[in-house]
Amino acid sequence: MPRAFNFCAGPATLPEEVLLKAKDELLDWRGLGVSVMEVSHRSKEFMETVDLAESSLRRLLEIPDSYAVLFLQGGASLQFSAIPINFGVNTVADYVHTGHWSEKSIKEAKRFCDVKIVAEINSDDLLRIPAEDTWEYSKNPAYLHLTSNETISGVEFFWTPNCSIPIVADMSSTLLSRPIDVTKYGVIYAGAQKNIGPAGLTILIVRKDLLGNAIESCPSMLNWTVAAENSSMQNTPPTFAIYMAGLVFSWLEEIGGLDVMESINRRKASAIYEFIDKSDFYSNNVEVKNRSLMNVPFRLMNDRLDEKFLEESSSLGLLNLKGHRAIGGMRASIYNAVPEDAVNALISFMSDFEIRYG
Ligand SMILES: *Cc1c(COP(=O)(O)O)cnc(C)c1O
């Protein structure tokens, strides 16, 4: 059976080269006669793997030394709570509400701080991020939180707000898809299972001067400062996931880095959006300048054809096109590791389906 084209939103497809390398090394890693999953996280070999992964990530994103890179667990979702806790108690925090994941981050933050919504996405037909000049910041917020890419509705920020408070960004489904200016952010975090590696690892990049402010009752395992002081080894880290992420970072560097990745991603995304826009059979409800490069939600003109669409596409090896249960319809997640061939095959199928049922 050849590899299917997998459009899953997460855990998502991994580069074939990375899987083959992991397979090759699985039983005998670095000539040790054991797999990477079976060695101490404090062994010289594993520590080297962590260091290499971190330095590769630093090169890819041009992360300055004034930022710590942490390898955490608990998913992006645990950081929804960790963020207010690490910024200290009794704070006011500003949140931009652009969809499902913003909503979740707001819900958790409200347990620990006074959340102010500075801007909220419209709920009419065409989704668009409100222009920055309409945002209402509160007086003395500890930080501004935003979701750089709403994975479910396919709404993405292509600009960074111009504010003097630290920006905290959930980049779970966009980190590494294109270059970003890390220095514009106080904290960047992402669950690994979209663009980075297997589930179980969460990457957090934090400006070092923001460390040391956690509330006193902060559990050690949620405390970024503890993680930074212990090089993310305060307990057993998700070793296999870190190893895999390291392989993904090397793969990205071999491709030519994030500039090259961005142009490939832009080609993939515009091919699908152009096809959808030309068709009367498919539609996407996100304003053009906010359309995600990673997650393309779309609807069929007649939703009674949804089942048929999913059945036929998966029988052709185009997997996981069903939209999130919260909004229905379809969604093609086209992360870094989804090859251009997959996107072309999807467009051919969509076109053929439209001819037969349109
Ligand atoms: C997937 C996702 C999450 C949730 O990640 P977990 O690692 O499962 O907690 C949060 N935010 C965004 C934007 C996501 O895409």
Side-chain angles (χ1 to χ4, degrees):
M1 168 96 185
R3 290 240 325 141
F5 290 140
N6 181 8
F7 299 94
C8 191
T13 199
L14 286 161
E16 190 168 337
E17 293 88 334
V18 165
L19 292 173
L20 288 171
K21 170 114 172 129
K23 177 187 175 192
D24 198 43
E25 299 183 332
L26 191 63
L27 295 189
D28 180 14
W29 181 61
R30 296 184 53 161
L32 295 176
V34 292
S35 83
V36 65
M37 285 175 275
E38 303 166 299
V39 299
S40 164
H41 53 293
R42 301 191 194 280
S43 63
K44 174 172 84 45
E45 288 82 2
F46 190 74
M47 299 280 260
E48 251 169 51
T49 299
V50 178
D51 288 347
L52 288 174
E54 179 175 334
S55 46
S56 181
L57 182 65
R58 283 185 181 275
R59 283 192 298 274
L60 284 164
L61 288 169
E62 297 179 23
I63 305 172
D65 288 342
S66 50
Y67 285 74
V69 172
L70 309 179
F71 296 112
L72 307 174
Q73 299 186 63
S77 301
L78 189 59
Q79 295 309 315
F80 295 164
S81 317
I83 291 158
I85 290 177
N86 278 277
F87 271 91
V89 78
N90 288 333
T91 52
V92 175
D94 281 354
Y95 276 70
V96 186
H97 188 328
T98 49
H100 178 92
W101 290 112
S102 304
E103 177 92 31
K104 294 243 176 180
S105 63
I106 290 165
K107 182 175 168 221
E108 294 305 313
K110 276 183 173 165
R111 302 179 200 276
F112 302 100
C113 68
D114 187 4
V115 171
K116 294 280 184 329
I117 309 292
V118 293
E120 189 159 358
I121 197 155
N122 57 307
S123 51
D124 47 322
D125 280 351
L126 195 65
L127 296 176
R128 73 187 86 84
I129 297 173
E132 196 180 4
D133 57 15
T134 65
W135 292 16
E136 292 175 24
Y137 287 98
S138 50
K139 258 215 181 74
N140 244 327
Y143 60 88
L144 171 76
H145 182 279
L146 56 87
T147 307
S148 298
N149 182 55
E150 287 285 356
T151 317
I152 293 177
S153 52
V155 173
E156 183 161 357
F157 271 94
F158 292 98
W159 48 278
T160 312
N162 214 337
C163 63
S164 52
I165 48 170
I167 300 173
V168 178
D170 177 358
M171 294 203 186
S172 293
S173 50
T174 175
L175 193 66
L176 297 177
S177 66
R178 54 190 169 92
I180 47 160
D181 183 353
V182 170
T183 64
K184 289 188 169 165
Y185 297 86
V187 180
I188 291 168
Y189 65 105
Q193 68 275 18
K194 309 322 185 356
N195 244 349
I196 295 168
L201 168 67
T202 309
I203 302 268
L204 188 126
I205 302 164
V206 54
R207 218 174 64 208
K208 287 177 182 164
D209 66 285
L210 296 173
L211 294 172
N213 297 317
I215 62 174
E216 210 162 289
S217 58
C218 176
S220 307
M221 288 305 298
L222 281 188
N223 194 321
W224 300 335
T225 311
V226 172
E229 282 167 353
N230 290 279
S231 310
S232 305
M233 297 274 178
Q234 64 278 20
N235 75 330
T236 317
T239 52
F240 187 69
I242 294 174
Y243 155 80
M244 288 293 285
L247 296 185
V248 171
F249 301 155
S250 302
W251 173 78
L252 278 167
E253 290 203 276
E254 270 160 39
I255 283 180
L258 299 190
D259 287 316
V260 175
M261 198 67 247
E262 175 174 19
S263 52
I264 297 170
N265 285 332
R266 286 199 181 273
R267 272 206 302 276
K268 290 189 297 187
S270 45
I272 302 191
Y273 286 120
E274 267 169 37
F275 172 78
I276 291 173
D277 286 345
K278 271 197 290 210
S279 147
D280 295 324
F281 188 80
Y282 302 102
S283 63
N284 165 275
N285 70 334
V286 182
E287 178 152 300
V288 171
K289 64 173 194 277
N290 295 148
R291 279 176 169 177
S292 169
L293 291 181
M294 294 285 101
N295 311 95
V296 182
F298 61 92
R299 287 183 180 282
L300 276 56
M301 187 184 59
N302 176 354
D303 63 15
R304 275 176 312 193
L305 290 168
D306 283 4
E307 276 310 310
K308 191 137 221 77
F309 183 93
L310 290 168
E311 235 172 71
E312 289 193 14
S313 55
S314 68
S315 75
L316 291 170
L318 303 166
L319 306 187
N320 297 311
L321 288 164
K322 193 179 169 95
H324 191 274
R325 61 196 138 78
I327 61 168
M330 305 296 153
R331 172 176 50 173
S333 293
I334 49 172
Y335 298 116
N336 289 348
V338 174
E340 287 190 273
D341 283 351
V343 171
N344 296 334
L346 172 62
I347 294 171
S348 297
F349 166 73
M350 287 170 73
S351 163
D352 178 63
F353 191 87
E354 174 175 355
I355 289 165
R356 284 182 293 117
Y357 295 99

